[in-house]
């Protein structure tokens, strides 16, 4: 199974496990570290935007930082979506669970808002 580390790069390590009543994803430590690092940077960017607003920064500069944050969040979403499709979705389809397609389409719809 592959995991998306950086745009265009793939390595081993992401799996989803479906237990009755609860679903969990089990990512490798490398993927978790990558996602945590990205989210920490995003968190810092958000704090930076708050500071810019408090200091009455030029609106266009703030909007450009918000666009960068949205792009960074989209990247995190793409990594998770790819891992989900390559593991959970494939696994559930293999088990004959076609409801996963509706679930996936609903999730993609939310991501593309």
């Amino acid at each position: 199974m592959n995991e998306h580390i950086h745009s265009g790069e793939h390595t081993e390590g992401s799996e989803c496990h479906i237990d009755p009543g609860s679903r969990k994803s089990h990512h490798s430590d490398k993927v978790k570290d990558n996602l945590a690092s990205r989210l920490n940077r995003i968190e810092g960017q958000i704090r930076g935007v708050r500071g810019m607003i408090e200091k009455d920064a030029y609106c266009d500069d703030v909007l450009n930082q918000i666009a960068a944050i949205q792009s960074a969040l989209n990247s995190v979403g793409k990594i998770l979506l790819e891992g989900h499709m390559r593991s959970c979705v494939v696994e559930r389809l293999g088990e004959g669970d076609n409801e996963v397609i509706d679930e996936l389409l609903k999730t993609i719809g939310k991501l593309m808002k």
Side-chain angles (χ1 to χ4, degrees), residues 35-105:
L35 293 172
S37 175
R38 287 172 183 266
L39 291 169
N40 285 337
R41 283 193 302 269
I42 291 166
E43 192 175 11
Q45 288 176 297
I46 291 170
R47 283 193 301 271
V49 166
R50 183 182 329 133
M52 291 174 77
I53 291 170
E54 290 169 355
K55 294 175 184 172
D56 296 319
Y58 184 59
C59 295
D60 191 60
D61 293 339
V62 176
L63 291 168
N64 283 317
Q65 285 301 309
I66 289 171
I69 292 166
Q70 288 172 327
S71 177
L73 277 172
N74 286 340
S75 291
V76 170
K78 287 176 189 175
I79 291 167
L80 290 170
L81 180 61
E82 181 177 336
H84 179 57
M85 290 176 71
R86 291 183 183 277
S87 57
C88 304
V89 173
V90 170
E91 180 181 312
R92 288 178 62 188
L93 285 173
E95 295 169 354
D97 182 0
N98 292 328
E99 289 179 20
V100 71
I101 296 298
D102 292 331
E103 177 186 280
L104 181 60
L105 290 171

